[in-house]
PDB file of all heavy atoms in Angstrom:
ATOM      1  N   GLN A  91     -28.759 -37.542   3.196  1.00 66.00           N
ATOM      2  CA  GLN A  91     -28.706 -37.207   1.782  1.00 66.00           C
ATOM      3  C   GLN A  91     -27.361 -36.647   1.437  1.00 66.00           C
ATOM      4  O   GLN A  91     -26.688 -36.071   2.286  1.00 66.00           O
ATOM      5  CB  GLN A  91     -29.771 -36.172   1.468  1.00 66.00           C
ATOM      6  CG  GLN A  91     -31.138 -36.772   1.412  1.00 66.00           C
ATOM      7  CD  GLN A  91     -32.134 -35.745   0.996  1.00 66.00           C
ATOM      8  OE1 GLN A  91     -32.112 -34.640   1.508  1.00 66.00           O
ATOM      9  NE2 GLN A  91     -32.973 -36.086   0.056  1.00 66.00           N
ATOM     10  N   LYS A  92     -27.002 -36.801   0.171  1.00 83.00           N
ATOM     11  CA  LYS A  92     -25.767 -36.171  -0.263  1.00 83.00           C
ATOM     12  C   LYS A  92     -25.925 -34.663  -0.094  1.00 83.00           C
ATOM     13  O   LYS A  92     -26.998 -34.110  -0.336  1.00 83.00           O
ATOM     14  CB  LYS A  92     -25.521 -36.499  -1.726  1.00 83.00           C
ATOM     15  CG  LYS A  92     -24.734 -37.779  -1.914  1.00 83.00           C
ATOM     16  CD  LYS A  92     -24.334 -37.932  -3.351  1.00 83.00           C
ATOM     17  CE  LYS A  92     -23.177 -37.010  -3.672  1.00 83.00           C
ATOM     18  NZ  LYS A  92     -22.807 -37.003  -5.072  1.00 83.00           N
ATOM     19  N   LEU A  93     -24.873 -33.992   0.296  1.00 88.00           N
ATOM     20  CA  LEU A  93     -24.983 -32.551   0.559  1.00 88.00           C
ATOM     21  C   LEU A  93     -25.424 -31.751  -0.667  1.00 88.00           C
ATOM     22  O   LEU A  93     -26.124 -30.754  -0.537  1.00 88.00           O
ATOM     23  CB  LEU A  93     -23.643 -32.014   1.058  1.00 88.00           C
ATOM     24  CG  LEU A  93     -23.461 -32.061   2.574  1.00 88.00           C
ATOM     25  CD1 LEU A  93     -22.094 -31.549   2.945  1.00 88.00           C
ATOM     26  CD2 LEU A  93     -24.527 -31.227   3.271  1.00 88.00           C
ATOM     27  N   ASP A  94     -25.029 -32.208  -1.883  1.00 90.00           N
ATOM     28  CA  ASP A  94     -25.486 -31.514  -3.088  1.00 90.00           C
ATOM     29  C   ASP A  94     -27.008 -31.473  -3.126  1.00 90.00           C
ATOM     30  O   ASP A  94     -27.610 -30.454  -3.441  1.00 90.00           O
ATOM     31  CB  ASP A  94     -25.055 -32.297  -4.354  1.00 90.00           C
ATOM     32  CG  ASP A  94     -23.590 -32.164  -4.649  1.00 90.00           C
ATOM     33  OD1 ASP A  94     -23.134 -31.045  -4.843  1.00 90.00           O
ATOM     34  OD2 ASP A  94     -22.913 -33.217  -4.690  1.00 90.00           O
ATOM     35  N   VAL A  95     -27.601 -32.633  -2.817  1.00 90.00           N
ATOM     36  CA  VAL A  95     -29.058 -32.747  -2.905  1.00 90.00           C
ATOM     37  C   VAL A  95     -29.724 -31.978  -1.766  1.00 90.00           C
ATOM     38  O   VAL A  95     -30.714 -31.272  -1.978  1.00 90.00           O
ATOM     39  CB  VAL A  95     -29.481 -34.242  -2.886  1.00 90.00           C
ATOM     40  CG1 VAL A  95     -30.993 -34.381  -2.920  1.00 90.00           C
ATOM     41  CG2 VAL A  95     -28.846 -34.980  -4.058  1.00 90.00           C
ATOM     42  N   SER A  96     -29.170 -32.052  -0.570  1.00 91.00           N
ATOM     43  CA  SER A  96     -29.828 -31.336   0.526  1.00 91.00           C
ATOM     44  C   SER A  96     -29.663 -29.823   0.369  1.00 91.00           C
ATOM     45  O   SER A  96     -30.563 -29.065   0.719  1.00 91.00           O
ATOM     46  CB  SER A  96     -29.360 -31.828   1.896  1.00 91.00           C
ATOM     47  OG  SER A  96     -27.978 -31.754   1.988  1.00 91.00           O
ATOM     48  N   ALA A  97     -28.543 -29.382  -0.232  1.00 94.00           N
ATOM     49  CA  ALA A  97     -28.381 -27.943  -0.488  1.00 94.00           C
ATOM     50  C   ALA A  97     -29.395 -27.494  -1.554  1.00 94.00           C
ATOM     51  O   ALA A  97     -30.018 -26.434  -1.434  1.00 94.00           O
ATOM     52  CB  ALA A  97     -26.960 -27.645  -0.967  1.00 94.00           C
ATOM     53  N   HIS A  98     -29.581 -28.332  -2.569  1.00 95.00           N
ATOM     54  CA  HIS A  98     -30.579 -28.048  -3.615  1.00 95.00           C
ATOM     55  C   HIS A  98     -31.964 -27.913  -2.977  1.00 95.00           C
ATOM     56  O   HIS A  98     -32.707 -26.971  -3.251  1.00 95.00           O
ATOM     57  CB  HIS A  98     -30.547 -29.195  -4.645  1.00 95.00           C
ATOM     58  CG  HIS A  98     -31.728 -29.268  -5.547  1.00 95.00           C
ATOM     59  ND1 HIS A  98     -31.813 -28.533  -6.709  1.00 95.00           N
ATOM     60  CD2 HIS A  98     -32.883 -29.977  -5.460  1.00 95.00           C
ATOM     61  CE1 HIS A  98     -32.966 -28.794  -7.294  1.00 95.00           C
ATOM     62  NE2 HIS A  98     -33.636 -29.663  -6.559  1.00 95.00           N
ATOM     63  N   GLU A  99     -32.287 -28.842  -2.085  1.00 95.00           N
ATOM     64  CA  GLU A  99     -33.618 -28.792  -1.462  1.00 95.00           C
ATOM     65  C   GLU A  99     -33.781 -27.571  -0.575  1.00 95.00           C
ATOM     66  O   GLU A  99     -34.856 -26.973  -0.521  1.00 95.00           O
ATOM     67  CB  GLU A  99     -33.881 -30.078  -0.693  1.00 95.00           C
ATOM     68  CG  GLU A  99     -34.248 -31.155  -1.680  1.00 95.00           C
ATOM     69  CD  GLU A  99     -34.665 -32.457  -1.053  1.00 95.00           C
ATOM     70  OE1 GLU A  99     -34.605 -32.589   0.191  1.00 95.00           O
ATOM     71  OE2 GLU A  99     -35.047 -33.342  -1.831  1.00 95.00           O
ATOM     72  N   ALA A 100     -32.712 -27.185   0.100  1.00 96.00           N
ATOM     73  CA  ALA A 100     -32.790 -25.990   0.956  1.00 96.00           C
ATOM     74  C   ALA A 100     -33.118 -24.762   0.087  1.00 96.00           C
ATOM     75  O   ALA A 100     -33.961 -23.939   0.464  1.00 96.00           O
ATOM     76  CB  ALA A 100     -31.471 -25.788   1.690  1.00 96.00           C
ATOM     77  N   MET A 101     -32.470 -24.645  -1.060  1.00 98.00           N
ATOM     78  CA  MET A 101     -32.725 -23.501  -1.955  1.00 98.00           C
ATOM     79  C   MET A 101     -34.156 -23.550  -2.490  1.00 98.00           C
ATOM     80  O   MET A 101     -34.893 -22.564  -2.424  1.00 98.00           O
ATOM     81  CB  MET A 101     -31.747 -23.512  -3.142  1.00 98.00           C
ATOM     82  CG  MET A 101     -30.331 -23.105  -2.812  1.00 98.00           C
ATOM     83  SD  MET A 101     -30.161 -21.367  -2.337  1.00 98.00           S
ATOM     84  CE  MET A 101     -30.121 -20.553  -3.925  1.00 98.00           C
ATOM     85  N   VAL A 102     -34.560 -24.717  -3.012  1.00 97.00           N
ATOM     86  CA  VAL A 102     -35.890 -24.836  -3.628  1.00 97.00           C
ATOM     87  C   VAL A 102     -36.973 -24.527  -2.590  1.00 97.00           C
ATOM     88  O   VAL A 102     -37.887 -23.737  -2.847  1.00 97.00           O
ATOM     89  CB  VAL A 102     -36.089 -26.249  -4.232  1.00 97.00           C
ATOM     90  CG1 VAL A 102     -37.533 -26.471  -4.645  1.00 97.00           C
ATOM     91  CG2 VAL A 102     -35.162 -26.441  -5.429  1.00 97.00           C
TER      92      VAL A 102
END
Side-chain angles (χ1 to χ4, degrees):
Q91 284 185 314
K92 271 189 76 185
L93 270 178
D94 286 301
V95 178
S96 55
H98 164 85
E99 282 186 356
M101 286 293 279
V102 170

